[in-house]
Amino acid sequence: SIIRAGVADDAEDEYVWALCHAYETDTFIKNLIEKLESDGKIENTAVIFYTDHYDHYLTGDGLLEKYKGTSDGNLMSKVPFVIYSKGLVPTTVDKVTASYDILPTVANLFGLDTDGRYYIGNDAFSSGGGYVIFSDRSWYDGQYYSAKDNVPGEFLAERSREIDERLNV
């Protein structure tokens, strides 16, 4: 069918449905930006996109693991975070960020006078942060550290103390 155009013939149906879902989302975003432009509101608008989960069209564990490249439930939730504003210089942040990093990042971009001591997260453009904390106290900074691993080392001990403090807040 036309939906499968450009997709390998042996691609699973769920994968094709996920691609269609992504296309619908992309089309929505395109239409939103065009509407803001035609209404003359794009110059004074920032659009922030973040999702709190992976594509749920991939329901089979094996299929999800295949396309996400992991079987770890924590790492399956790797999702994009995008900020768009007309005139904003495109920048890619490669360090790991989490949902709690959104507020300090947006506050920085808007030049808001805020006291960062009250944020759990870090501005994505700052030197702080660069890791995500999971509810089981494991964390990921490009490498996954399970809270159960009990890995020795001063850096890991310091990070574990920091995680405990953040989670207690």
Side-chain angles (χ1 to χ4, degrees), residues 104-160:
T105 301
V106 172
N108 169 51
L109 288 173
F110 280 100
L112 301 177
D113 184 17
T114 61
D115 188 341
R117 293 178 299 169
Y118 300 109
Y119 296 141
I120 300 289
N122 296 278
D123 173 5
F125 299 104
S126 74
S127 60
Y131 61 93
V132 61
I133 303 168
F134 301 107
S135 61
D136 65 359
R137 287 184 152 54
S138 60
W139 51 281
Y140 178 81
D141 65 359
Q143 180 177 341
Y144 182 70
Y145 297 90
S146 172
K148 302 170 199 158
D149 289 344
N150 230 356
V151 180
E154 185 55 35
F155 169 74
L156 296 178
E158 180 60 33
R159 178 61 51 87
S160 291

Side-chain angles (χ1 to χ4, degrees), residues 54-112:
Y54 54 83
D55 190 334
H56 288 294
Y57 278 94
L58 299 177
T59 58
D61 287 344
L63 188 61
L64 186 57
E65 290 171 16
K66 174 182 174 182
Y67 290 107
K68 293 299 280 186
T70 184
S71 61
D72 185 287
N74 286 335
L75 298 180
M76 282 188 185
S77 292
K78 181 179 178 183
V79 295
F81 168 37
V82 177
I83 301 173
Y84 172 81
S85 182
K86 191 163 182 97
L88 189 64
V89 176
T91 305
T92 299
V93 175
D94 291 326
K95 77 177 182 181
V96 176
T97 58
S99 59
Y100 46 76
D101 295 321
I102 294 172
L103 176 60
T105 301
V106 172
N108 169 51
L109 288 173
F110 280 100
L112 301 177

